[in-house]
Amino acid sequence: MSCPMNNSQDYEQLGAEEGMIYGEYLMLDKILNAQRMLSARSNRPVHDEHLFIVIHQAYELWFKQIIYELDSIRYLFTSSLEESQTLEILKRLQRIVLILKVLVDQVMILETMTPLDFMEFRGYLRPASGFQSMQFRLLENKLGVRKEHRVKYNQDYNVVFGDDKDCINEIEKSETEPALTDVVQKWLERTPGLELDGFNFWGKFKEAVQELLKTDREAAEKETNKRIRAFKLKDLEQREEIYESVFNPDVHQALVHRGERRFSHKALQGSIMITFYRDEPRFSQPHQILSLLMDIDSLITKWRYNHVLMVQRMIGSSQLGTGGSSGYHYLRSTLSDRYKVFVDLFNLSTFLIPRSYIPPLTDDIRSQLSLTWGVKNKRRENGESKNVDSR
Ligand code: HEM
């Protein structure tokens, strides 16, 4: 790799090695010598084992990069967040999304291997299994998949990782640190406009919903066709129940308790507000962030789905996995919403109301939300930071 820098002495002081070439910089001696085909030990090496190893290694490298980005994003969210950082968060989330797209598609490459080819070397793998991928667990934990939401299979790390204490410690640590979903919720709870003594979005939204439901009830009661009337009233009843679940904090909490909702009540309010007023300059980037968070959940679900289809193609649906699970059936159960960290963002659409009912912004909040990064910065330089929130 050619070095465009002039002051080579500085770089040497920073630890660069003189005369280092491409392979040394990338430590290719390690990476390219790490494909140990177990079938080659017999006198019948299996051609496809090479692909099987390389593809897993490629996955692990990309997992590493995703974790690296995730850690930095979690840090940015917890430091005092400025608009310039929001842009950096957006950039890194976008990167994760693009990597995940590659990971979803990569499954197809392994599907060029036939089940018969796989059978020829599968025996050598036991008891190794993707179930023991520490990085995959870290990735899930750092996003916010909780132990209590997981399918009850081999939750005992000592059984899965054996004597590897470092690995167990690292996974346990990732379960106690704030995950991406936690820091995102804290950030959403600070959404400008939620203050009760300010714009009071929640109070206004509640009034708008009551108005909407009242209008719809009047229209339903005027309906002369009995069947249509009954249908409309039933539908209304259901919608009233849904809104009760979001306006009544106790009902919301009960749903969180049952694992059907994950966000705190305030974070949910913030995300609804951002969704409604996403055209305001201040909410444009937060809205994109919410969208990318859903992309991450979707893509991981798509990966799980592609993986489970491949597993069925390779070993069918009744063989146990090399890690000892029920194989196909275990993996299929991980496709549920329990593994979606941002499930509340997906379900936001349930609470949306027609544009004409969205509470209009007051001049005050409109001017707050119209602030761009430059304006905010200038104000701060002029010592006017008191009125500007730290979102
Ligand atoms: C022939 C190809 C593959 C087969 C037959 C296969 C099979 C399985 C099975 C049966 C499991 C369930 C655990 C067990 O009992 O072993 C599993 C889990 C897993 N596999 Fe694969 N796998 C394949 C390829 C891959 C690849 C390319 C990756 C990429 C990293 C991967 C990553 C994982 C992960 C992360 C899990 C844990 C999933 C979870 O617990 O939610 N697998 N695999």
Side-chain angles (χ1 to χ4, degrees), residues 179-285:
L180 182 64
T181 178
D182 301 313
V183 295
V184 162
Q185 286 181 63
K186 290 273 167 289
W187 167 73
L188 283 170
E189 287 168 2
R190 300 196 302 269
T191 304
L194 291 184
E195 311 81 13
L196 292 177
D197 56 350
F199 180 61
N200 185 16
F201 165 71
W202 203 237
K204 289 189 169 64
F205 176 50
K206 197 170 174 180
E207 279 169 22
V209 168
Q210 280 163 351
E211 181 63 31
L212 171 69
L213 294 175
K214 190 169 148 252
T215 312
D216 286 355
R217 180 165 288 280
E218 282 165 7
E221 277 165 357
K222 275 190 202 139
E223 180 58 59
T224 48
N225 182 315
K226 261 185 168 176
R227 273 181 57 208
I228 299 179
R229 185 171 186 269
F231 172 81
K232 282 188 171 174
L233 287 172
K234 181 113 190 79
D235 178 58
L236 204 65
E237 222 172 85
Q238 214 166 359
R239 281 164 59 211
E240 279 166 350
E241 214 171 286
I242 288 168
Y243 282 114
E244 167 73 2
S245 81
V246 76
F247 287 127
N248 184 336
D250 293 337
V251 181
H252 171 83
Q253 209 41 49
L255 290 171
V256 171
H257 198 69
R258 294 217 305 259
E260 288 172 38
R261 255 184 225 163
R262 308 286 167 84
F263 273 13
S264 71
H265 200 223
K266 201 77 190 273
L268 197 67
Q269 296 174 17
S271 50
I272 295 177
M273 183 164 182
I274 290 169
T275 307
F276 280 159
Y277 305 106
R278 59 166 193 209
D279 294 335
E280 300 302 317
R282 193 79 177 276
F283 279 171
S284 157
Q285 286 181 2

Side-chain angles (χ1 to χ4, degrees), residues 101-120:
K101 283 184 180 165
V102 170
L103 297 190
V104 169
D105 282 348
Q106 212 164 267
V107 172
M108 285 187 294
I109 304 178
L110 194 53
E111 280 174 345
T112 59
M113 175 176 79
T114 66
L116 263 182
D117 297 327
F118 183 45
M119 218 174 177
E120 281 190 60

Side-chain angles (χ1 to χ4, degrees), residues 52 55-60 63 106-107 110 113 118 121-122 125 127-133 135-137 140 150 153 303-304 307 310-315 319-328 330-331 334 339:
F52 188 81
I55 209 146
H56 278 83
Q57 289 174 338
Y59 268 108
E60 290 292 338
F63 288 162
Q106 212 164 267
V107 172
L110 194 53
M113 175 176 79
F118 183 45
F121 66 90
R122 189 174 181 230
L125 309 179
S129 155
F131 198 73
Q132 296 142 359
S133 166
Q135 292 202 107
F136 187 74
R137 277 311 155 235
E140 287 184 325
R150 291 183 183 281
Y153 165 69
W303 180 81
R304 290 186 201 276
H307 175 253
M310 178 183 62
V311 169
Q312 190 176 31
R313 179 192 283 223
M314 295 294 168
I315 63 170
Q319 275 196 62
L320 297 185
T322 46
S325 78
S326 59
Y328 169 76
Y330 159 70
L331 292 169
T334 66
Y339 285 77

